[in-house]
Amino acid sequence: MLPLFKQRKTIGWVCLWVLLGLHFCVCNVSLGDASPTFSSNCAQGMIIKDMSFKVGQTLTIVGVAKPDATNFAVNIGPDEQDITMHINPRFNAHGDENAVVCNSYEGGNWCEEVREGGFPFQQGEEFKIVIEFTPAEFVVTLSDGSTIHFANRIGAEKYSVISFEGEARVQSVEIK
Amino acid sequence: MLPLFKQRKTIGWVCLWVLLGLHFCVCNVSLGDASPTFSSNCAQGMIIKDMSFKVGQTLTIVGVAKPDATNFAVNIGPDEQDITMHINPRFNAHGDENAVVCNSYEGGNWCEEVREGGFPFQQGEEFKIVIEFTPAEFVVTLSDGSTIHFANRIGAEKYSVISFEGEARVQSVEIK
């Protein structure tokens, strides 16, 4: 058996490592590190918390894709873990060229991908994405007039986290 | 001296309380609890992180004051602790009636208040606040055309946290 002093010291070190472990754990969970789309790390992109987006409302996002953008994404979710709608325009990423891939991320897993709509995005150019939240689904309208229909898979009537990833600069976010 | 078992238990409890204390501490610091304007708690309002607002750009905020609003605020800062510009329209709060109070919050303290501009805000009505970030200062233009000049006290050329408090619903945020 260790002397009392050493035992105390050992318990102190264990506490320190538990603290560090907890911190690391929380950080990873909140960023949904398992995403196949982005190699997320603690430096996530822009995030808006507590801006509620409800059934009947329309969310409009205007931004500019970076000149060398491979892809970017808009995520709508109930919290920082889950995503009820991930809209991912891909210029050239994950085997896709000029396609918008939508999906949801629930309980640590990506679900079924949806590929619809045109591809009116251009590297270095402004884009506009309009997302209508109907009682049945999300209807995304792109600037060429094409649409994407995506079920409200998580099923809530209100979402409060909107986040952005990848190579684009968001200029405005509007909910009306 | 206590028996070894009791000592271990005591150290365990101390660790638990240190953990709880740390959590409480972090929560308070990040919300700027010392604010004389709001009785902040862990349920802060809408926050945008990593939306950079740079010298030469203009930030436009549109929202609706709640019908029973006493006051609300827009905060621009380098992080979640400090605020380089706090814009606080007060319908009836902290001894003010129909006044916009601006201030900065640095290192845990509120600085000198600035009271300028008109008061075009109405409870239950839409408002628009335009904030121009010039090399010298922030110039805030209200919807009656009146302006507020406020020095860039923290002195950075870029801020990345925009947060909101009080009784208003933000409809859109634009940086151009």
Side-chain angles (χ1 to χ4, degrees):
Chain A
M1 207 167 182
L2 289 165
L4 185 53
F5 170 72
K6 283 210 175 167
Q7 284 201 0
R8 272 191 189 163
K9 215 168 158 186
T10 308
I11 294 171
W13 277 108
V14 166
C15 284
L16 181 64
W17 285 110
V18 166
L19 263 170
L20 286 173
L22 272 173
H23 177 263
F24 185 73
C25 192
V26 167
C27 183
N28 271 334
V29 168
S30 72
L31 293 167
D33 223 3
S35 159
T37 312
F38 297 96
S39 54
S40 297
N41 54 39
C42 277
Q44 195 193 20
M46 178 177 152
I47 182 163
I48 306 179
K49 293 196 259 186
D50 291 312
M51 185 181 200
S52 77
F53 181 35
K54 295 175 193 167
V55 167
Q57 292 184 320
T58 298
L59 166 64
T60 303
I61 292 155
V62 176
V64 177
K66 296 203 172 158
D68 57 353
T70 62
N71 76 134
F72 67 91
V74 178
N75 299 317
I76 300 164
D79 49 45
E80 288 181 70
Q81 284 80 59
D82 293 322
I83 301 167
T84 197
M85 175 152 213
H86 167 79
I87 305 168
N88 181 206
R90 299 178 179 179
F91 296 98
N92 192 341
H94 311 286
D96 283 291
E97 265 188 51
N98 299 343
V100 178
V101 179
C102 295
N103 206 341
S104 60
Y105 184 77
E106 300 169 61
N109 298 299
W110 287 98
C111 305
E112 201 184 338
E113 291 184 344
V114 168
R115 286 151 200 266
E116 272 182 36
F119 194 82
F121 301 93
Q122 286 193 295
Q123 289 168 322
E125 299 290 321
E126 191 174 290
F127 63 84
K128 186 176 182 177
I129 300 174
V130 179
I131 306 154
E132 199 189 339
F133 190 173
T134 77
E137 60 182 2
F138 294 102
V139 181
V140 182
T141 304
L142 306 178
S143 56
D144 60 354
S146 66
T147 55
I148 301 164
H149 294 258
F150 193 86
N152 176 6
R153 294 180 181 171
I154 289 181
E157 292 189 348
K158 181 176 129 178
Y159 293 96
S160 61
V161 176
I162 303 162
S163 67
F164 303 88
E165 297 168 284
E167 296 110 16
R169 184 169 52 84
V170 177
Q171 287 186 323
S172 78
V173 176
E174 180 190 81
I175 293 179
K176 274 204 169 160
Chain B
M1 209 166 182
L2 289 167
L4 185 55
F5 170 72
K6 282 209 176 168
Q7 284 201 359
R8 271 192 189 164
K9 215 170 161 183
T10 308
I11 295 171
W13 277 107
V14 167
C15 284
L16 181 64
W17 285 109
V18 166
L19 263 170
L20 286 172
L22 272 174
H23 177 262
F24 185 73
C25 193
V26 167
C27 183
N28 271 335
V29 168
S30 72
L31 293 169
D33 223 5
S35 159
T37 312
F38 296 98
S39 55
S40 298
N41 54 39
C42 276
Q44 195 195 20
M46 179 178 149
I47 182 164
I48 306 179
K49 293 196 258 186
D50 291 312
M51 186 182 198
S52 77
F53 181 35
K54 295 176 192 166
V55 168
Q57 293 185 320
T58 298
L59 166 64
T60 303
I61 292 155
V62 175
V64 177
K66 296 202 173 161
D68 59 352
T70 62
N71 75 136
F72 67 90
V74 179
N75 299 317
I76 300 163
D79 49 46
E80 287 180 73
Q81 283 79 61
D82 293 320
I83 302 167
T84 198
M85 175 152 214
H86 168 78
I87 306 169
N88 180 207
R90 298 178 179 179
F91 296 98
N92 193 340
H94 311 288
D96 284 290
E97 265 190 49
N98 298 344
V100 179
V101 179
C102 296
N103 206 341
S104 60
Y105 185 77
E106 300 168 60
N109 298 299
W110 286 98
C111 306
E112 201 185 338
E113 291 184 343
V114 168
R115 286 151 200 267
E116 274 183 34
F119 194 83
F121 301 94
Q122 287 194 295
Q123 289 168 321
E125 299 290 322
E126 190 173 292
F127 64 84
K128 185 177 182 176
I129 300 174
V130 179
I131 307 153
E132 200 190 336
F133 190 173
T134 76
E137 60 181 3
F138 294 102
V139 181
V140 181
T141 304
L142 306 177
S143 57
D144 60 355
S146 65
T147 55
I148 301 164
H149 293 258
F150 193 85
N152 176 5
R153 294 180 181 171
I154 289 182
E157 293 190 347
K158 182 176 130 176
Y159 293 96
S160 60
V161 176
I162 303 163
S163 67
F164 303 88
E165 297 169 285
E167 296 110 15
R169 184 170 52 82
V170 177
Q171 286 186 324
S172 77
V173 176
E174 179 190 82
I175 292 179
K176 272 201 172 161

